[in-house]
Amino acid sequence: MSLNEFWDYLVLGVVLGSIYAVIAIGYTLVYGVLQLINFAHSEVFMLGAYGGLISLTIIAPGDSPSALASVGYVALGLAAGGLFGAVTAYGLEKVAYRPLRRRGAPRLIFLITAIGASFFLYNLAGKLFGRDPLPMPDAYENKKVFTLFGADLNVTQLLLLGAAVVMMIGLDLMVNRTKLGSGIRAVSQDAEVAGLMGVDIDKVISRTFVIGGVLGGAAGYLYGTFTQVKFDMGFIPGITAFAAAVVGGIGNIRGAMLGGMMLGIVETLTVPVFGGEWRHVGAFVVLIGVLMFRPTGILGERVGRTA
Amino acid sequence: MSTTTELQKESGGPVAVPLLELRGLRVAYGAIEALKGIDLTVGEGEIVALLGGNGAGKTTTLRTVSGMLTPRQGEVRLRGERIDGIKSHELVNFGIGHVPEGRRVFARMSVRENLEMGAYRFKGVDSADMDRVYTLFPRLAERRSQLAGTLSGGEQQMLAIGRALMSRPELLLLDEPSMGLAPLIVEQIFVIIREINEQGTTVLLVEQNATQALGLAQRGYVLETGSVAVSGPAQDLLADPRIRAAYLGEGAA
Ligand SMILES: Nc1ncnc2c1ncn2[C@@H]1O[C@H](COP(=O)(O)OP(=O)(O)OP(=O)(O)O)[C@@H](O)[C@H]1O
Ligand SMILES: [Mg+2]
């Protein structure tokens, strides 16, 4: 692999990784407040892609939109994806998880419910939108190519990366600087005591799902722009992003971002080195490798847990 | 204050305006009944000690008062108003602060962030509240940026108390603040509890350390497997030989 090729793959890896990172945040946020691996998050992602597809089919971009219009269309796709994701995640929490919480159901029941919800949603999508892959309408002319340290960067990649980075920064600020963010962190650490402080736990959990849903849905649109939109498209990115959240330390938001980036880069670099059929293996080798040395993930240390 | 040495079923000392009143309180965890009909009164401005051995129901009592548990029967009244059944996140607005058993500070937040969480019910954080806590506990001021999980046990207890004070409670529920702490630190914390009380906060203090708790409190209740076994003025409880033998022997320093 030449140095030039390496850079090309690396850039691709960073772009893919940034999408994994945004999805992984959804897993880690929900895990934080509920100690639940929300396996239906992959369907939040998938429905977000359909959201983008539907909105850009209704408001179809012309053949060669101007640069400014392109940005507008991407924003529309992101917004629609985010909206679909948010509604799906909100509904999931209300319909599937909240009743279990009320009854104090054991963890295993939550997990089975999550898997069941995932099956239900992607089969529903297959029924509603058909089982054939659909192309995401192009929001821009994908011609211009930038060069970054010798790596070719096209408009798609630039927009994807930009949008993902903006979402990550926004989320990080929200969690660390706002009142809702403090509520989310407090519930993640000790929900009962957070309640004593006046945090409405139900509200915080519901909003956490919505935030994860916005990110997951928007990521679904982004992912759909360089693959295709299909009812089962959530599975592989979902499981990879979940692995990324675990690699970074489940429950830790910056860990999810780091893990997502790592797995995206590893997955992409595996292709030229070992061949395309090894693509998804690389990421899981990293997962196992990291967990062997750090069972709590890279940033998942537990600081002085008391009783 | 009443000077009677006779132990009464209902507490001895003068109870002015009852800030907190528990009447016939029954609380159960599934089939296990932890409180079997408790009557307890805390007057405004008092320090009341709630004593008893392991599993007597002290923590359950406090958790019921702060809305973490719903009673099966009986009532909880604050200034005469029923508050049982109100969720804990709403009860904080009624002026109840709860320092839970085992401190339970937010380990991955700094000291400052923990205190800010205490003021969550307000729009913003009042720096005067923050200063008050730092004045009561200078050690917290020195460590304001340190993660709470890395504090010593005593410092975590101070933080847990400070965090509860940030909500400006009228009634402070303290669940075994002396647990696992060195005698010197316990003494410091008890001095500060008195100071908090003198500043106008009513205190319901759960303790195993009976001698010290009764030294601080005006009145006390002794729980025994979910019922009030004895109650009365603190001096009477301290003086009563039966009580000394049964409840104070192990707890005495
Ligand atoms: N979550 C629970 N589920 C079932 N039973 C419980 C639960 N919490 C407490 N109990 C039971 O209720 C009774 C009272 O417990 P509680 O914690 O109120 O006692 P305590 O007086 O605070 O004891 P300690 O001094 O050891 O803290 C005990 O018998 C205990 O086993
Ligand atoms: Mg207890």
Side-chain angles (χ1 to χ4, degrees):
Chain A
M1 181 168 51
S2 72
L3 191 63
N4 238 331
E5 256 186 324
F6 173 78
W7 278 118
D8 278 344
Y9 278 104
L10 188 67
V11 167
L12 263 173
V14 169
V15 171
L16 183 65
S18 67
I19 293 178
Y20 286 158
V22 172
I23 310 169
I25 289 168
Y27 282 101
T28 229
L29 275 177
V30 165
Y31 183 83
V33 294
L34 272 190
Q35 285 77 54
L36 162 75
I37 308 296
N38 179 19
F39 277 113
H41 191 56
S42 49
E43 271 46 69
V44 169
F45 166 86
M46 174 270 294
L47 287 169
Y50 277 103
L53 178 99
I54 290 166
S55 70
L56 290 174
T57 306
I58 294 169
I59 304 172
D63 273 345
S64 51
S66 69
L68 196 66
S70 286
V71 173
Y73 288 127
V74 171
L76 174 69
L78 284 169
L83 182 69
F84 270 56
V87 169
T88 309
Y90 177 83
L92 259 176
E93 194 272 329
K94 265 263 155 51
V95 175
Y97 302 136
R98 185 165 296 198
L100 298 180
R101 210 149 49 76
R102 288 263 176 281
R103 278 159 213 199
R107 296 272 151 248
L108 187 63
I109 306 297
F110 276 86
L111 205 62
I112 302 285
T113 304
I115 293 168
S118 170
F119 267 61
F120 171 78
L121 285 174
Y122 84 75
N123 282 298
L124 182 70
K127 193 92 189 131
L128 287 176
F129 308 121
R131 297 194 158 227
D132 298 323
L134 300 167
M136 184 72 80
D138 276 328
Y140 32 74
E141 259 192 300
N142 207 2
K143 276 182 195 154
K144 272 186 225 137
V145 170
F146 300 79
T147 316
L148 187 72
F149 301 116
D152 292 336
L153 204 61
N154 63 31
V155 180
T156 315
Q157 293 164 341
L158 203 67
L159 283 171
L160 287 184
L161 191 60
V165 168
V166 167
M167 284 193 274
M168 284 189 265
I169 293 173
L171 187 272
D172 199 76
L173 288 175
M174 194 282 298
V175 168
N176 288 306
R177 302 277 170 84
T178 68
K179 193 144 184 170
L180 175 60
S182 313
I184 291 174
R185 286 186 299 144
V187 170
S188 300
Q189 293 184 39
D190 192 329
E192 205 176 48
V193 174
L196 282 180
M197 306 290 114
V199 180
D200 183 341
I201 300 167
D202 286 345
K203 209 179 205 173
V204 163
I205 289 176
S206 182
R207 289 187 182 172
T208 303
F209 269 85
V210 168
I211 292 163
V214 168
L215 295 182
Y221 162 70
L222 294 178
Y223 195 79
T225 58
F226 73 89
T227 57
Q228 281 182 316
V229 183
K230 197 160 174 266
F231 73 105
D232 63 357
M233 68 183 285
F235 184 65
I236 294 282
I239 211 90
T240 310
F242 165 54
V246 174
V247 164
I250 189 89
N252 185 306
I253 290 162
R254 289 182 185 167
M257 298 183 196
L258 183 70
M261 279 294 176
M262 267 176 71
L263 294 200
I265 292 169
V266 169
E267 178 184 322
T268 311
L269 288 179
T270 307
V271 176
V273 179
F274 298 103
E277 67 273 26
W278 293 98
R279 213 181 134 179
H280 299 298
V281 177
F284 289 92
V285 169
V286 172
L287 173 70
I288 293 163
V290 167
L291 293 188
M292 253 167 24
F293 295 101
R294 279 192 73 91
T296 54
I298 298 171
L299 299 182
E301 57 186 326
R302 300 243 151 91
V303 186
R305 269 260 159 122
T306 43
Chain B
M1 190 169 281
S2 151
T3 49
T4 173
T5 49
E6 192 184 86
L7 294 170
Q8 299 161 300
K9 187 92 184 118
E10 197 39 52
S11 57
V15 177
V17 193
L19 181 60
L20 177 74
E21 248 186 309
L22 309 183
R23 287 287 164 256
L25 201 65
R26 288 174 175 271
V27 180
Y29 299 98
I32 306 160
E33 191 162 55
L35 297 184
K36 300 165 184 162
I38 301 242
D39 295 315
L40 181 150
T41 312
V42 182
E44 186 147 21
E46 278 191 306
I47 298 180
V48 173
L50 184 56
L51 311 169
N54 289 116
K58 307 180 297 295
T59 298
T60 304
T61 308
L62 291 197
R63 288 165 59 86
T64 308
V65 171
S66 64
M68 291 152 103
L69 295 170
T70 316
R72 186 162 281 188
Q73 234 181 61
E75 40 193 59
V76 182
R77 289 180 183 270
L78 192 73
R79 293 191 187 290
E81 217 183 303
R82 284 284 289 270
I83 58 162
D84 46 273
I86 298 177
K87 287 183 182 168
S88 61
H89 71 88
E90 287 163 5
L91 265 184
V92 70
N93 293 315
F94 286 65
I96 296 180
H98 187 158
V99 181
E101 185 172 34
R103 321 186 241 282
R104 290 168 71 175
V105 295
F106 297 112
R108 280 166 283 143
M109 289 188 190
S110 68
V111 167
R112 189 194 300 111
E113 286 174 312
N114 267 275
L115 294 178
E116 285 168 0
M117 278 313 299
Y120 193 86
R121 77 182 183 98
F122 302 121
K123 278 239 158 57
V125 181
D126 192 336
S127 65
D129 289 334
M130 205 69 125
D131 291 343
R132 177 187 173 207
V133 172
Y134 287 146
T135 311
L136 283 169
F137 304 106
R139 288 173 73 153
L140 294 182
E142 293 161 26
R143 292 165 172 76
R144 60 186 84 196
S145 303
Q146 195 174 322
L147 284 185
T150 64
L151 296 175
S152 76
E155 289 157 359
Q156 288 191 9
Q157 188 63 61
M158 295 174 191
L159 181 57
I161 297 173
R163 182 178 63 181
L165 288 178
M166 290 298 288
S167 73
R168 296 184 208 146
E170 283 182 82
L171 174 65
L172 187 63
L173 311 173
L174 289 161
D175 199 339
E176 293 200 50
S178 72
M179 200 203 315
L181 303 184
L184 201 70
I185 305 284
V186 174
E187 218 160 286
Q188 281 178 19
I189 285 184
F190 273 50
V191 166
I192 289 165
I193 293 171
R194 186 188 296 276
E195 210 172 317
I196 291 167
N197 177 249
E198 279 163 2
Q199 290 172 7
T201 307
T202 305
V203 175
L204 178 56
L205 172 66
V206 161
E207 263 301 332
Q208 300 247 8
N209 196 333
T211 316
Q212 254 172 320
L214 289 172
L216 193 65
Q218 284 97 49
R219 295 186 303 115
Y221 291 78
V222 180
L223 285 185
E224 203 177 309
T225 55
S227 307
V228 177
V230 211
S231 64
Q235 293 132 304
D236 296 2
L237 293 180
L238 273 171
D240 189 290
R242 286 174 302 151
I243 309 255
R244 292 199 70 87
Y247 304 107
L248 306 185
E250 51 177 281

